[in-house]
Amino acid sequence: MNRFKASKFRHTEARLPRREAWIGGIRAGSITSCGNHVKASCRWIAFNAEAPGVLGIVPLECKDGGKRTISQLCCHSDVVTDFDFSPFDQLLLATGSADETVKVWRLPQSGQDIPGGVGLTLGPGGAPVDALQFHPAADAVLASGAGKRVTVWDLGQQQPLTVLDSHGDQLQSLTWKRDGHLLGTSCKDKKLRIFDPRAGPAASQSVPGHDNNKDSRLLWMGSSDCLISVGFSQMREREVKLWDTRRLSGAMLTVALDTSPGVTIPLYDADTGLLVLAGKGENLLYCFEVAPTQPALTQVTQCRTEGSTRGLAAVPRLALDVMACEVLRVLQLTDTALVPVSFLVPRKSVQEFHEDLFPDCTGMLPATDAQGWWAGDSQQVGRVSLHPARRPTETFTSPIIAGTSPTSTGHTDTGTSHTDADTGHTDADQSEASGYSSPSSLASPGSAATSLSASTGPSSGFASSPSQKSLQSILGPSSRFRHAQGRVLHRDCHLTNLRGLSLTTPGECDGFCANHQRVALPLLSAGGQIAVLELSKPGRLPDAAVPTIQNGAAVADLTWDPFDPRRLAVGTCGGAGRVPQLQACQITTLTTAHPSWCTAGEDARIRLWRIPEGGLQETLREPEAILRGHTEKIYSIRFHPMASNLLVSSSYDMTVRIWELSAGQEVLCLRGHTDQIFSMAWSPDGKKLATVSKDGRIRLYEPRRSSQPQQEGPGPEGGRGVRLVWVCGGDYLLVSGFDSRSERRILLYRAQALPEGPLSVLGLDVAPSTLLPFYDEDTSVVFLTGKGDTRVFLYEVTPEPPYFLECNSFTSNEPHKGFVFLPKTVCEVREVEFARALRLGQSTLEPVAFHVPRVKKEYFQDDLYPPTRMWWEPALGAGAWLDGQDGQQRRASLRPADMVPVSEAPKEAPARKFVPASVYLEEKTDEQKKEELLNAMVARLGNRDDPLPQDSFEGVDEDEWD
């Protein structure tokens, strides 16, 4: 090439589309990882969504001018750090996550539902996954970087081919040479390395890269021996370097860009030699032309966008509008939109195909498979024309998920099969023709060594077909609620302008309490004031002070009576207030005609308050009654779940006391604790009481039999912030706490075998706030979050291994000050809502609904809604319970009268997807064929004897004419 010859791309222009062409309505996630955060195939665009572990999926092209539908793919239990589309199978997507796993997904054809089931899972690998890239020549080969090593996977066998672990620090990027022979990496130790994976795990070449260890990226320039790296200099300047692997002693060329702090995202097109650079958090796109032979880096154009860049992706060349001279298209991910930016070469004629601008590009049929490549096959992918009339029509489906064998034509047809995500059942014909597959269909006894994750994320796969159930044990069970989604309800349901909220309640206290009618919120003002707000009256609270309860002492814990929605119990921890003076261990009952409320405080008293019908209209100063008996401040209080007028309280005096409210006296006192009591919980049948203490012991009492613990067992290691709840019908105890390194974890105990220790221990994260668990006994789902957190963990708890089945977590935009759940009866079953909570923000109270995505929402999902306990009706009175009786609450169905259970829904006959062979084999005469053709034409055109539409029109009477 003549060095003075002008480039045909020197006049390339970057054109921003009008807003109508943007893909709007998205909420991109702010992810601090080495990935590009957005990738595209010829069919789909994937991008990091706001929720951790979730990708947004949107079609690349918009058919018939319609609006694109943005879907969510729930991928992992933690942040998705990087992802990549297969260069051959346009529906195959690999994702990597901070949860240390790699997952491979098969997306549907455009217009179908996004699948909820993962194709296969690799890992966990001991470190968060940082980078992913498919092999450019061989199908089913994937390179993943995690920690200090790169693993090259054979996806078909679900086993690593090799592990490249000669890095000195955290991996930052990896790149394949287009011929698939070599692999390059950049690392935090400031070095660039070249590997020949088939020759051995050690790097064949290594050279110092950029002088700053801030994020660097490495790109291979097609099949040439040259590389492009972007990073930071020692003076924190962003720079671009060109390298030649034949002389890798130093960079051929170094170009300084600017001193911006944003990490640079590079995109390189080997067919045009164009390099696009964008900085994260910036709105400027650079376009350079790279000439490795001189070497030279010439700026072609630059483009300033409206939004700041969160991610950047290149659209495959086969998806370009070549007739408009579009030589490159990139997708800019901003906070709220995906903006396609086209790079065009102006030509006089745009109605013809310009061969000089669009040379043949790499095709989409792989040259070999994983085993062939690993055995030494070095065939290259064939090249195809971009001319619209000569473009190939065949497509390729990888067999790693579809379950088909590769063919020379690479033909694929994912069909229109549909999996019923509502019931988890798949029709027999769907299992044959579907392009999706349950992960259990991918496993084999020989692949167990790959440490396939049974339930590492919210998407463990589709329900098994009969042929898959024999392999279910390899991957383990998955939760029906793994795709559960939480969403904040409309602002019309919010309570806003909350002022003066108290954030000084103990860490193990929920901070506020609610029932199906009202919510009680401690305030920061002196005297232990409590605001009581009606949930039926949402909206903005007035700026003026609202009526409150004057509790007289700071609130330690508070709870509503489940059988009396107007009774509040408050435990206090401060000085005495304006309350009646009663004898120790007695209670004064003001009235039984109205509901009441109970509070516990610092002055070792429990106050019962009764809320007037319709809510507080004026300040309430006199409690209905006061309970005295504890000698130290109250720590927590709980009403009995079965018997009315029974209340249990714990105190810093290390006793647990049970109060009989109608008789006005303490009836039982439980002892045996040696330190502060963190938490206590009644068993679902109300027979037993479990406590966990700062002394590291879990105790189980049967209060009516003995004041001493029936059993004791070891609790969490950390001596702070422990809570417990009963799960699995009262046979197990779930305990949340910390370990010795301050990691938050949950532990599962058999209630009848506490001395044996926990059956299972699951670490969640490292955070200072105490986990507050809520257990839904109808679904066996436990919700865990802490005050000051932004995330709510969801797990289905089972009495068999693996005990904890992970579900989608809910993430809010800002930390919540409290998170409490409402009774089951407030759930909107028509929206498949199985739990509802109230999220307390800085000045707002927002309802959060948790629902399961289902297709047939017109049916009542009876598999998710078993008959629920009638918690609002006591099974027996306090006296009967103390006499040794055990009541049982009735159960009620949540099914609306006009909804049919999904188990009784009529079975839809599957549409025939294949024409029987007999149709092709049947021999027909010419006369039969003519008759069929004539009948088809008549059916299409209609019968000549049929009346015309106007024949049925009626006229008007003669006298109506003028």
Side-chain angles (χ1 to χ4, degrees):
M1 178 179 176
N2 192 325
R3 65 179 298 178
F4 299 106
K5 183 178 180 180
S7 168
K8 54 181 173 288
F9 299 106
R10 69 186 184 278
H11 298 306
T12 300
E13 300 175 352
R15 292 187 185 176
L16 289 173
R18 293 191 297 180
R19 282 187 174 268
E20 291 79 6
W22 293 14
I23 305 173
I26 70 173
R27 300 179 69 178
S30 179
I31 308 300
T32 55
S33 69
C34 299
N36 285 9
H37 310 312
V38 58
K39 292 286 179 70
S41 72
C42 289
R43 293 287 184 88
W44 294 101
I45 304 170
F47 61 91
N48 278 107
E50 186 177 40
V54 176
L55 290 182
I57 305 293
V58 63
L60 176 65
E61 300 296 341
C62 185
K63 292 185 177 181
D64 303 325
K67 188 176 180 181
R68 292 180 177 92
T69 300
I70 301 173
S71 305
Q72 286 190 342
L73 180 64
C74 303
C75 302
H76 294 268
S77 60
D78 208 334
V79 171
V80 180
T81 51
D82 199 13
F83 45 96
D84 192 31
F85 281 100
S86 166
F88 311 115
D89 188 337
Q90 299 301 297
L91 307 178
L92 205 64
L93 176 67
T95 61
S97 170
D99 66 8
E100 304 179 6
T101 63
V102 174
K103 297 185 179 182
V104 182
W105 309 81
R106 173 163 300 284
L107 301 183
Q109 298 283 353
S110 179
Q112 295 176 329
D113 293 333
I114 295 298
V118 64
L120 58 90
T121 303
L122 309 171
V129 178
D130 298 303
L132 287 176
Q133 192 171 20
F134 276 99
H135 194 278
D139 177 49
V141 176
L142 177 71
S144 67
K148 299 181 181 180
R149 63 182 186 176
V150 175
T151 304
V152 180
W153 296 92
D154 178 351
L155 299 182
Q157 299 295 322
Q158 303 177 31
Q159 292 180 346
L161 294 171
T162 184
V163 177
L164 315 176
D165 54 1
S166 58
H167 298 88
D169 208 331
Q170 186 78 22
L171 194 77
Q172 292 178 332
S173 71
L174 59 85
T175 177
W176 284 104
K177 191 175 181 180
R178 191 159 69 175
D179 60 15
H181 291 166
L182 302 177
L183 178 73
T185 65
S186 65
C187 185
K188 196 173 181 179
D189 63 5
K190 309 177 188 178
K191 287 187 178 182
L192 308 180
R193 292 174 174 84
I194 308 299
F195 294 87
D196 184 350
R198 293 178 291 186
S204 58
Q205 297 184 76
S206 176
V207 64
H210 298 268
D211 294 332
N212 195 305
N213 65 359
K214 200 172 178 180
D215 283 357
S216 63
R217 304 291 182 86
L218 189 64
L219 294 176
W220 215 295
M221 297 174 64
S223 297
S224 71
D225 296 311
C226 297
L227 293 150
I228 301 172
S229 69
V230 295
F232 291 82
S233 69
Q234 191 173 9
M235 302 303 294
R236 298 185 180 180
E237 286 184 319
R238 295 195 299 186
E239 59 185 11
V240 182
K241 291 187 177 185
L242 302 185
W243 308 82
D244 191 335
T245 57
R246 296 166 297 185
R247 300 177 296 275
L248 203 60
S249 57
M252 295 189 296
L253 176 69
T254 300
V255 177
L257 295 178
D258 50 39
T259 56
S260 176
V263 175
T264 305
I265 302 176
L267 300 176
Y268 177 72
D269 180 29
D271 292 322
T272 61
L274 295 179
L275 173 69
V276 176
L277 303 175
K280 288 186 179 180
E282 301 171 11
N283 63 348
L284 193 63
L285 302 181
Y286 295 96
C287 181
F288 294 89
E289 186 176 6
V290 183
T293 54
Q294 277 69 39
L297 191 68
T298 306
Q299 182 168 335
V300 175
T301 184
Q302 67 180 31
C303 171
R304 191 171 297 276
T305 61
E306 292 189 30
S308 59
T309 301
R310 284 194 181 275
L312 202 69
V315 171
R317 288 188 65 75
L318 285 171
L320 298 178
D321 185 0
V322 296
M323 302 308 293
C325 295
E326 184 184 41
V327 295
L328 182 65
R329 190 193 310 165
V330 300
L331 297 169
Q332 181 202 26
L333 177 66
T334 67
D335 290 332
T336 58
L338 279 164
V339 183
V341 182
S342 294
F343 291 85
L344 310 174
V345 176
R347 290 288 172 93
K348 290 183 179 180
S349 174
V350 294
Q351 300 301 322
E352 61 184 39
F353 180 72
H354 295 273
E355 297 276 359
D356 60 326
L357 296 181
F358 301 101
D360 291 351
C361 70
T362 304
M364 293 188 178
L365 299 181
T368 184
D369 59 9
Q371 292 300 312
W373 174 78
W374 186 245
D377 189 347
S378 297
Q379 296 184 62
Q380 297 302 298
V381 176
R383 300 183 71 80
V384 297
S385 173
L386 288 174
H387 194 290
R390 299 196 297 268
R391 287 192 182 185
T393 58
E394 68 270 19
T395 55
F396 174 80
T397 297
S398 176
I400 61 174
I401 293 180
T404 60
S405 58
T407 63
S408 59
T409 61
H411 180 266
T412 180
D413 183 7
T414 57
T416 58
S417 59
H418 177 68
T419 300
D420 187 354
D422 285 4
T423 60
H425 295 292
T426 306
D427 294 334
D429 61 320
Q430 291 174 343
S431 65
E432 295 176 3
S434 174
Y436 317 144
S437 170
S438 168
S440 56
S441 67
L442 302 169
S444 62
S447 65
T450 60
S451 183
L452 297 179
S453 174
S455 178
T456 58
S459 47
S460 300
F462 291 133
S464 301
S465 63
S467 62
Q468 298 164 350
K469 290 180 179 178
S470 60
L471 299 173
Q472 183 78 18
S473 59
I474 296 178
L475 294 178
S478 59
S479 172
R480 294 171 298 167
F481 303 91
R482 62 188 180 276
H483 304 306
Q485 298 175 359
R487 61 184 177 90
V488 178
L489 298 184
H490 193 270
R491 285 184 59 87
D492 291 346
C493 306
H494 298 189
L495 285 163
T496 61
N497 198 33
L498 304 180
R499 297 186 174 189
L501 298 177
S502 174
L503 305 178
T504 59
T505 54
E508 289 72 29
C509 173
D510 292 345
F512 71 106
C513 67
N515 60 23
H516 62 292
Q517 293 184 358
R518 51 187 60 91
V519 60
L521 300 157
L523 301 180
L524 192 59
S525 56
Q529 294 188 36
I530 303 169
V532 180
L533 308 176
E534 300 295 309
L535 295 179
S536 60
K537 301 176 182 178
R540 178 182 173 87
L541 296 182
D543 294 333
V546 298
T548 61
I549 292 175
Q550 298 285 348
N551 190 60
V555 175
D557 196 18
L558 68 172
T559 183
W560 292 99
D561 188 337
F563 311 123
D564 189 344
R566 286 165 33 196
R567 170 184 281 179
L568 181 71
V570 181
T572 59
C573 45
R578 297 180 56 189
V579 294
Q581 300 298 312
L582 304 181
Q583 296 298 321
C585 305
Q586 289 188 347
I587 181 172
T588 299
T589 303
L590 303 181
T591 177
T592 58
H594 302 287
S596 58
W597 188 32
C598 173
T599 66
E602 285 183 350
D603 55 355
R605 301 172 186 174
I606 300 172
R607 292 171 173 81
L608 298 178
W609 299 91
R610 182 167 297 280
I611 308 304
E613 190 70 42
L616 282 182
Q617 303 299 326
E618 58 184 7
T619 300
L620 199 59
R621 290 184 171 84
E622 299 296 333
E624 182 184 61
I626 300 177
L627 298 175
R628 298 177 181 173
H630 286 293
T631 58
E632 298 287 343
K633 63 180 181 180
I634 306 297
Y635 196 79
S636 59
I637 51 178
R638 298 287 184 272
F639 277 98
H640 195 280
M642 290 282 186
S644 60
N645 289 320
L646 274 182
L647 182 75
V648 63
S649 62
S650 65
S651 167
Y652 277 78
D653 62 12
M654 292 180 286
T655 64
V656 174
R657 299 173 191 255
I658 297 177
W659 309 84
E660 207 277 292
L661 303 184
S662 59
Q665 62 182 2
E666 171 194 322
V667 290
L668 296 171
C669 183
L670 309 181
R671 304 183 182 276
H673 298 92
T674 61
D675 208 332
Q676 175 186 345
I677 303 167
F678 279 139
S679 178
M680 61 182 179
W682 286 105
S683 61
D685 58 11
K687 298 179 182 179
K688 299 177 182 179
L689 184 74
T691 67
V692 60
S693 177
K694 193 175 181 179
D695 59 11
R697 306 294 291 174
I698 300 174
R699 295 172 173 86
L700 189 64
Y701 291 85
E702 289 194 34
R704 293 175 295 183
R705 292 189 177 185
S706 173
S707 63
Q708 296 297 319
Q710 179 194 40
Q711 289 187 69
E712 288 192 28
E717 301 173 10
R720 64 187 181 94
V722 185
R723 294 286 291 267
L724 57 77
V725 290
W726 292 79
V727 298
C728 300
D731 295 328
Y732 294 82
L733 279 167
L734 185 143
V735 180
S736 64
F738 297 83
D739 69 359
S740 57
R741 297 169 296 177
S742 295
E743 180 188 34
R744 298 196 296 187
R745 52 174 51 189
I746 52 178
L747 305 89
L748 188 69
Y749 295 80
R750 257 192 351 115
Q752 298 302 321
L754 289 183
E756 297 177 5
L759 289 172
S760 180
V761 179
L762 178 65
L764 299 184
D765 59 5
V766 177
S769 57
T770 298
L771 282 171
L772 308 176
F774 168 80
Y775 178 74
D776 179 16
E777 62 182 23
D778 291 342
T779 61
S780 296
V781 174
V782 64
F783 302 79
L784 301 123
T785 190
K787 288 183 287 186
D789 288 1
T790 58
R791 183 177 182 183
V792 181
F793 297 92
L794 279 73
Y795 290 91
E796 183 178 356
V797 186
T798 66
E800 299 87 20
Y803 300 110
F804 301 113
L805 304 179
E806 187 169 9
C807 308
N808 262 354
S809 58
F810 165 77
T811 304
S812 54
N813 294 329
E814 60 182 19
H816 37 253
K817 311 302 179 184
F819 208 92
V820 301
F821 283 80
L822 296 174
K824 191 81 170 185
T825 48
V826 305
C827 294
E828 180 52 69
V829 298
R830 297 181 188 273
E831 296 298 324
V832 202
E833 179 186 340
F834 68 97
R836 181 175 296 188
L838 292 176
R839 176 187 173 275
L840 182 63
Q842 191 70 35
S843 61
T844 61
L845 193 66
E846 306 168 344
V848 180
F850 293 88
H851 66 278
V852 178
R854 288 288 171 97
V855 176
K856 299 180 180 179
K857 293 201 295 186
E858 66 271 19
Y859 293 101
F860 176 69
Q861 311 294 320
D862 49 350
D863 61 322
L864 302 184
Y865 297 105
T868 190
R869 264 194 321 114
M870 298 176 66
W871 48 264
W872 57 92
E873 293 183 359
L876 69 169
W881 183 84
L882 291 169
D883 290 339
Q885 298 182 32
D886 295 320
Q888 187 172 2
Q889 285 176 317
R890 296 184 299 160
R891 292 187 173 269
S893 174
L894 295 176
R895 179 171 70 91
D898 60 343
M899 292 187 75
V900 176
V902 71
S903 60
E904 300 175 11
K907 302 298 182 183
E908 297 179 2
R912 184 180 296 276
K913 295 179 174 59
F914 302 103
V915 179
S918 59
V919 174
Y920 297 102
L921 297 177
E922 181 182 357
E923 293 293 337
K924 297 180 181 179
T925 65
D926 291 341
E927 291 300 325
Q928 289 175 322
K929 294 178 181 178
K930 289 179 182 179
E931 183 69 21
E932 288 182 0
L933 180 60
L934 182 60
N935 291 337
M937 293 175 64
V938 170
R940 189 75 177 267
L941 298 176
N943 196 319
R944 295 179 60 182
D945 297 331
D946 291 342
L948 296 174
Q950 56 265 36
D951 294 341
S952 62
F953 292 171
E954 296 182 2
V956 297
D957 294 335
E958 291 295 332
D959 58 0
E960 293 186 23
W961 292 94
D962 291 335

